[in-house]
Amino acid sequence: MSDGTGSDLGLGTTDALAAAPVSGGAMRSARRGKDRGGRGRGRGRGRGRGAVAKLRQLGIGTSWPAKVSWVFLIAIVLVALVGPLLISADPVRQTSSAMLPFGSPGHLLGTDDLGRDELARLVHGARPLLFVAFASTALAAVIGTGVGLLAGYAGGVVEQVLMRVVDLALAFPSILLVILLVAAAGPGTTSLVVGVGVSLAPGLARLARALAARETARDYIVAARLGGTRTPRVLVQEILPNIAGPMVAQVVMTLSVAAGFAAGLSYLGLGIQPPTPDWGYMVQAGQEFLYSAPRLVVLPATLTLLFVVACNFVGDDLRDALDPKGTV
């Protein structure tokens, strides 16, 4: 935790920034100066090598699990974005060629019980899952960070009221809260995003409140308040940049939970609705053929598991890089 000197910012910008808290404007100036210096020293290098060097300097991707996770996560995102444009097969078109095995002509991963191309369904199924995961995580980050910032900065009655609401939400198991919210609004992408986002916001709110309360007690925030700086500006320009590192790492790890919830609810029939391909629903539809055609279950389940694990490793990597002193 903080030793009172400001050494727990964990933003790794410069030695001076790591030694004492600074305002958001000063921090951005220091970053710009460092970036200009780095560009000046690296003009003779390729841009790719310069980007890799900067990542290594920040401590990102230094271990092999982190490297593999970053590559896999980026690959999955690329598949979700451009994969459907490269696959000619229709993922929802039913044919008479049902249950074809691996390596069948025109069907690299075979077909399912309705004759639909399995590769096309896996590629097209990445987009709905990732959309729900990213959208719900973004919603949770906005709600949680906003509530936590306000509670940690305001203190007093405002903090007590907001955090009691957060504690009440945390008293429910997250998966149960998601199911209740989605069931009340009806199955579908919108209700799934809102349900998962609202259920994950309380955890981020508690972290944001703790970080904001720590920063609020420091001299640069006291000086800003005495100088007449308005509350929104203090929150956005002063406190938020100094808690961004730990919050970003936690948000990335929250992404894995959101993906798990999205896949689980689709498996239960409360998420993405057929015929839209979705990894969670594909597991549910293929479990009937678990012994005769295990690929129908193993492939989407494995991809979902690997995505969740990769998000956790990437989150750990970002936490170590952005908060190296383990201040939270």
Side-chain angles (χ1 to χ4, degrees):
M1 296 301 292
S2 173
D3 57 4
T5 64
S7 62
D8 56 353
L9 290 177
L11 296 176
T13 307
T14 61
D15 292 341
L17 289 175
V22 293
S23 68
M27 183 174 294
R28 288 189 291 273
S29 299
R31 283 177 175 168
R32 287 194 295 268
K34 181 180 177 181
D35 291 341
R36 287 194 292 269
R39 286 195 295 269
R41 291 191 299 270
R43 286 177 181 175
R45 307 174 186 173
R47 291 186 177 181
R49 292 180 58 189
V52 173
K54 288 181 179 180
L55 292 177
R56 290 179 177 176
Q57 185 178 7
L58 289 174
I60 295 177
T62 55
S63 63
W64 71 264
K67 293 177 182 177
V68 172
S69 298
W70 275 106
V71 171
F72 180 80
L73 200 59
I74 294 173
I76 288 294
V77 173
L78 290 177
V79 167
L81 293 177
V82 303
L85 303 177
L86 304 178
I87 299 294
S88 59
D90 189 346
V92 299
R93 181 174 177 267
Q94 301 180 18
T95 67
S96 59
S97 304
M99 304 301 288
L100 292 179
F102 283 116
S104 299
H107 304 283
L108 182 62
L109 299 181
T111 59
D112 63 4
D113 59 311
L114 297 178
R116 297 171 296 190
D117 186 79
E118 188 69 8
L119 177 59
R121 290 182 63 76
L122 287 173
V123 172
H124 283 262
R127 183 177 292 181
L129 178 68
L130 264 63
F131 172 78
V132 172
F134 279 100
S136 58
T137 301
L139 178 62
V142 171
I143 297 175
T145 304
V147 171
L149 273 176
L150 183 58
Y153 177 78
V157 177
V158 174
E159 179 183 17
Q160 292 297 321
V161 171
L162 291 177
M163 296 316 296
R164 293 300 75 78
V165 174
V166 170
D167 291 340
L168 181 62
L170 289 173
F172 288 89
S174 296
I175 185 62
L176 178 59
L177 183 58
V178 174
I179 292 175
L180 290 175
L181 291 174
V182 174
T189 303
T190 302
S191 60
L192 189 60
V193 169
V194 174
V196 174
V198 171
S199 67
L200 295 179
L204 295 175
R206 288 187 65 87
L207 176 61
R209 186 210 65 83
L211 295 170
R214 183 190 67 184
E215 296 299 320
T216 301
R218 293 187 171 167
D219 293 340
Y220 76 102
I221 297 297
V222 175
R225 298 173 73 172
L226 293 176
T229 305
R230 301 184 64 179
T231 296
R233 186 170 182 177
V234 173
L235 293 175
V236 175
Q237 296 188 5
E238 304 295 342
I239 297 180
L240 185 58
N242 284 309
I243 69 173
M247 288 301 301
V248 167
Q250 188 62 35
V251 166
V252 173
M253 286 190 281
T254 302
L255 179 64
S256 67
V257 182
F261 281 171
L265 290 172
S266 294
Y267 176 85
L268 296 174
L270 297 175
I272 307 299
Q273 296 298 296
T276 302
D278 173 77
W279 291 349
Y281 176 75
M282 289 173 67
V283 173
Q284 189 273 338
Q287 66 182 0
E288 180 181 353
F289 310 98
L290 180 60
Y291 297 103
S292 60
R295 57 186 170 80
L296 299 179
V297 174
V298 172
L299 290 177
T302 301
L303 288 174
T304 303
L305 175 64
L306 291 177
F307 179 76
V308 170
V309 172
C311 287
N312 279 301
F313 275 114
V314 168
D316 287 337
D317 190 44
L318 288 173
R319 181 192 60 196
D320 294 339
L322 300 176
D323 190 35
K325 296 179 176 60
T327 58
V328 295

